[in-house]
Amino acid sequence: MYYYQIDDKPAASFLPELPFPAAERRVPAVFLTVGPVTRAAWRVTDKRRLAVPEDVRWLDPDRLGPPPEASPEVLSAIQNGTLTAVNLRHPRWRDALSFTAPSGEKKRVHLLAVGDVGGTLLTALKLLGGDVISAIGICDLNEVAVARWTAEMGQIAWPWDYDALPEVEPVTMDRLFDCDVFIFAAAKAIPAVGSDVKDVRMAQFAANRPLAESFARKAREARFQGLFIVLSDPVDPLCKAAWLASNTAPDGTVDHLGLLSEQVQGFGLGVMNARAACFARQEPRFASFLTEGRAFGPHGRGLVIANSIRHYDDALSRELTEKVEAANLRIRELGFKPYVAPAVSSGAMQLLLTLRGDWHCASVPLGGVWFGVKNRYTAHGLETETLRLPDALFARLRETEEQLAEIL
């Protein structure tokens, strides 16, 4: 083990002769690694994550092979939850060290598009976000919609406690990234109710991808330092498309000088988790999900619902997954677009949990894809939950990882 000094932080590494001042042996705050340029920094919860590039195996470190030798000082930092790993190949790794957890200060949120999803999300954030949101700026090509929602939200207040809820105000395109959180909720095309489109989310990808990419490039130009949240469908491949676009120079080369991958999250898994819980409350045979279950993967094809981690039943879990995947179709059969639950369960609730530093459901960078998992931002970096996964469940996660990689 080798010890260095990174600015004011003690660091350790498996790598000798790094271009940093050598330091005495002590408990490190930073661990220096070299690997594929995806995630720039992360909170270390298992020493095996220090030696193996990220992929779906990170969700179950027991699958990462033999643990590397680590000094007592490094093990102490891991046990205390205070070790941040950084990838020195990422040109913005120093920036990644400062991109950790939301602070105690209230955040400014900007929302792009106040259509069905955006308007519902806005309402929920206005009512529920007073403890963590200072103001919400809204932007839309339809100026009348912006004026309408600004007026409506301005007329919502608790009597005699008029400063309890965040203010809502219009924001222009040139100020779109003057914020702490940017939410992309724009959609260029949504298949109409009654259409014969079988996979609505993937039908939206071709239409929404150029739009997401254009705003990701704007984030790069603005040197945006906050969270870039994708709420539009399909959230998982759109996250990757936005990240790639942001990190591509005008000459077409990928230079990784745009958004850090850990700045980008996709909010689609929350409603799938909530739908699974809904069915579990209705049908006793799914009840184990309420205390032992998990949701993984994308908001759509490839979703994995586990009835239980400790007592996993593959057939039961696949049946529950199918019910969850089809739940939105039931709303469409009633003649409505299924946007209320996604806007609240995937959007507002997950954002509020994120800003509070709590565990939440979202798609995060995992190797070459964005993968829905339970995760949180901490003072020491982005942390994804680790579990001992049954073989049958892990095989499903591998399959989903491959499917997502095929998309983009």
Side-chain angles (χ1 to χ4, degrees):
M1 193 68 63
Y2 302 89
Y3 293 85
Y4 303 94
Q5 188 72 20
I6 303 295
D7 299 329
D8 61 341
K9 295 180 173 64
S13 180
F14 295 131
L15 305 171
E17 300 180 359
L18 291 176
F20 307 108
E24 63 182 18
R25 182 169 178 162
R26 58 189 290 197
V27 175
V30 177
F31 196 91
L32 307 172
T33 69
V34 173
V37 183
T38 50
R39 208 183 291 193
W42 63 93
R43 186 183 192 182
V44 183
T45 56
D46 190 290
K47 62 182 178 179
R48 287 165 289 195
R49 284 184 171 183
L50 296 172
V52 180
E54 60 176 314
D55 61 24
V56 75
R57 291 175 296 168
W58 271 31
L59 304 182
D60 181 359
D62 287 347
R63 298 179 183 273
L64 293 176
E69 291 292 331
S71 68
E73 291 81 7
V74 170
L75 294 177
S76 176
I78 295 174
Q79 184 176 3
N80 294 336
T82 58
L83 187 63
T84 303
V86 295
N87 181 1
L88 295 178
R89 281 188 181 155
H90 198 296
R92 291 191 59 208
W93 65 267
R94 286 182 182 272
D95 296 332
L97 283 176
S98 61
F99 182 79
T100 53
S103 68
E105 298 178 354
K106 293 184 180 182
K107 302 299 183 183
R108 182 177 181 84
V109 176
H110 282 181
L111 170 62
L112 177 66
V114 282
D116 292 336
V117 173
T120 305
L121 169 69
L122 175 64
T123 304
L125 291 179
K126 169 81 175 184
L127 294 175
L128 301 174
D131 63 319
V132 289
I133 298 175
S134 60
I136 306 171
I138 57 175
C139 182
D140 196 294
L141 293 177
N142 185 343
E143 294 181 359
V144 174
V146 172
R148 175 256 177 138
W149 280 106
T150 302
E152 296 266 32
M153 294 295 104
Q155 297 164 26
I156 296 175
W158 292 108
W160 313 293
D161 191 6
Y162 303 117
D163 296 325
L165 304 181
E167 289 294 323
V168 175
E169 58 192 33
V171 63
T172 57
M173 285 284 182
D174 61 315
R175 291 188 52 242
L176 203 51
F177 289 99
D178 294 343
C179 62
D180 302 295
V181 181
F182 169 76
I183 305 176
F184 178 82
K188 189 172 183 180
I190 300 177
V193 173
S195 69
D196 59 358
V197 177
K198 293 184 179 181
D199 193 332
V200 174
R201 296 182 185 92
M202 290 312 301
Q204 291 176 269
F205 185 43
N208 291 340
R209 178 178 177 178
L211 198 58
E213 290 175 336
S214 68
F215 284 96
R217 294 187 190 98
K218 293 180 185 296
R220 173 191 172 103
E221 294 168 3
R223 297 184 178 180
F224 182 55
Q225 301 297 310
L227 289 175
F228 188 106
I229 303 298
V230 176
L231 190 59
S232 300
D233 280 328
V235 297
D236 312 88
L238 280 180
C239 282
K240 184 174 181 179
W243 174 71
L244 285 171
S246 173
N247 284 283
T248 301
D251 65 1
T253 60
V254 177
D255 59 11
H256 296 288
L257 295 178
L259 294 167
L260 298 168
S261 62
E262 49 266 43
Q263 283 181 260
V264 182
Q265 288 214 353
F267 281 4
L269 187 62
V271 72
M272 310 309 257
N273 187 78
R275 286 168 177 166
C278 178
F279 289 117
R281 290 194 301 268
Q282 295 173 354
E283 300 186 45
R285 60 202 181 96
F286 297 132
S288 60
F289 178 84
L290 298 173
T291 54
E292 302 175 0
R294 287 291 187 278
F296 300 95
H299 179 56
R301 180 174 174 264
L303 173 72
V304 175
I305 301 294
N307 75 300
S308 167
I309 299 297
R310 295 181 58 192
H311 305 97
Y312 180 71
D313 183 317
D314 193 58
L316 194 66
S317 294
R318 289 179 181 273
E319 182 181 353
L320 183 55
T321 300
E322 291 176 2
K323 284 180 171 288
V324 170
E325 285 183 325
N328 65 318
L329 299 180
R330 304 289 81 80
I331 304 300
R332 295 180 74 87
E333 288 172 357
L334 293 172
F336 300 95
K337 294 178 182 178
Y339 63 84
V340 176
V344 178
S345 286
S346 284
M349 289 181 170
Q350 305 313 313
L351 178 59
L352 296 178
L353 290 171
T354 299
L355 296 182
R356 292 166 185 157
D358 292 335
W359 292 102
H360 60 280
C361 297
S363 294
V364 302
L366 196 62
V369 300
W370 262 251
F371 200 98
V373 293
K374 182 178 177 180
N375 73 96
R376 63 178 173 179
Y377 287 102
T378 77
H380 305 283
L382 178 62
E383 177 182 359
T384 51
E385 183 186 39
T386 58
L387 298 164
R388 289 188 173 178
L389 301 171
D391 289 343
L393 174 56
F394 183 75
R396 293 179 66 193
L397 299 182
R398 269 296 198 198
E399 183 179 355
T400 291
E401 182 183 38
E402 293 169 359
Q403 290 175 359
L404 289 170
E406 291 174 357
I407 297 172
L408 180 63

